[in-house]
Amino acid sequence: MWRWFHQWGSPKFFYHRSGVLIPVLALASGLILGAGVFWGLLIAPADYQQGESVRIMYVHVPAAILAQSSYAMMAVMALISLIWRLKIADAAVQTVAPIGACITLLALATGSLWGKPMWGTYWVWDARLTSTLILFFLFAGVLALRNAAGQSQTAGRAASVLAVIGLLNLPIIKYSVDWWFTLHQPASFTLTDRPAMPFSMWGPLLMMVVGFYAWFFLAWLIRLRHELVKRERRSDWVQQMMKQ
Amino acid sequence: MKLGAMKPQRRNRLLLILGLVGGLGLALTFVLKALNSNINLFYTPVQVIAGEVPMGARVRAGGMVEAGSIRRSDGSLEVAFIVSDLAGAAFEIRYTGILPDLFREGQGVVATGTLSQDGVFFAEEILAKHDEKYMPPEVAMALDATRQDPLQP
């Protein structure tokens, strides 16, 4: 297991082995997202109260789920980078931060567009919305710190420490709707209860979630491979690759 | 993975980070506990009745719109209704303006405004709260007919 861990920690090994995943992820995300959009926007029923506006859910919910789990992945990479000083983990933190920031912004924007017709306001400072905005600032902060001071090692460590500390925000986002009175509704999906919507709605929603994840890993992988080549440009394996 | 098997340097870094996150987590927990009432978006009917809401200050209060309590005036946008917590506590809200689409009996609302001396809440803005249940209109109609919730067996 350690051997496996060390192998994949090597930029050269990672770069050469991860290439095959790109077409797989590209095809998967294209097909799943396409089918999910078709199913969710055209076939799935309207809601008894929200009408057609319910369809915003098919973008908002996957974006919000991905925003939080991509943060968790970034924090794990930051932890590995801090403890084992793996260069690839630091590159992973740097490359996932802008993707996470965009996804969080998408969740905030779609939620805001849904909020106006349903709640009557684009924005309200309740615990769920505010903690999600903080998530966006955390992504932006990690990105800004990482790129500060000419991409030095110190900047990488500072960014990683912020990323790990920011983990504390995740349970706050998750439980904000239970701990406090918020305008945002509580979760429709829990591990213990049946979903609070029929299959004709959660089916396309699940498909969109899977599609978002496939797209996310595709975007991350492309950025990470690019970053690795850039960082290792003086090493033998990159020089050799460039000659070919 | 055993801690003892790690190189001492790495183990120390792991413990340092865990300690840092743990300490900050503890501090954050206390801060959030202390700020609990400030983080809540609105006052509940119980708090309104108990006099916890400062008179005349601009605050938010919310609850469920009680069935049959909505009174609209002819020729103006004025509306008055009772919100309750479905457990006995209730107060009256008066509002002039356009209500959100989701406003109806049995719906949760959050009103921004001021509480008067006689316990009536004068709202400047009404927000509708949406619950976590989603269903197609046909299902909702069938449900109305039989008064049974298919989502909660």
Side-chain angles (χ1 to χ4, degrees), chain B residues 35-57:
Chain B
L35 293 176
N36 209 9
S37 58
N38 293 340
I39 298 172
N40 284 326
L41 186 70
F42 54 90
Y43 288 101
T44 59
V46 172
Q47 289 174 308
V48 172
I49 289 178
E52 285 179 41
V53 180
M55 294 282 167

Side-chain angles (χ1 to χ4, degrees), chain A residues 89 130 197 223:
Chain A
T130 309
M197 63 178 74
R223 289 182 59 89

Side-chain angles (χ1 to χ4, degrees), chain A residues 1 32 35 40 65 68-69 164 194 212 234 236:
Chain A
M1 192 240 152
I32 298 171
I65 291 174
Q68 291 166 69
S69 58
V164 173
R194 291 212 280 161
F212 262 68
R234 287 192 192 84
D236 289 342

Side-chain angles (χ1 to χ4, degrees), chain A residues 45-55 114 117-119 185 201, chain B residues 64 100-108 128-141 143-144:
Chain A
D47 184 70
Y48 74 121
Q49 283 194 334
Q50 304 165 54
E52 301 292 339
S53 305
V54 71
R55 299 184 198 283
W114 181 88
M118 293 302 124
W119 292 338
Q185 61 263 40
M201 287 176 170
Chain B
M64 305 293 256
D101 290 356
L102 280 186
F103 180 88
R104 64 196 76 191
E105 290 172 357
Q107 191 79 32
K129 200 163 147 51
H130 188 262
D131 65 13
E132 71 277 21
K133 285 189 199 130
Y134 293 71
M135 58 181 119
E138 311 88 83
V139 178
M141 271 161 68
L143 189 142
D144 262 356

Side-chain angles (χ1 to χ4, degrees), chain A residues 135-194:
Chain A
L135 183 72
F136 171 73
F137 289 143
L138 280 170
F139 273 124
V142 168
L143 185 64
L145 265 182
R146 185 63 197 86
N147 291 330
Q151 303 229 341
S152 69
Q153 220 176 31
T154 325
R157 279 178 208 165
S160 289
V161 169
L162 177 64
V164 173
I165 288 172
L167 267 182
L168 292 170
N169 191 34
L170 290 187
I172 297 178
I173 298 178
K174 167 86 180 114
Y175 293 108
S176 55
V177 289
D178 302 325
W179 288 344
W180 300 292
F181 296 117
T182 56
L183 191 61
H184 194 286
Q185 61 263 40
S188 297
F189 301 93
T190 56
L191 290 176
T192 46
D193 294 327
R194 291 212 280 161

Side-chain angles (χ1 to χ4, degrees), chain B residues 2-18:
Chain B
K2 275 186 296 186
L3 273 181
M6 286 173 84
K7 285 188 186 158
Q9 237 186 341
R10 289 177 184 165
R11 191 188 57 212
N12 289 346
R13 285 200 291 253
L14 177 64
L15 292 177
L16 180 70
I17 295 165
L18 287 183

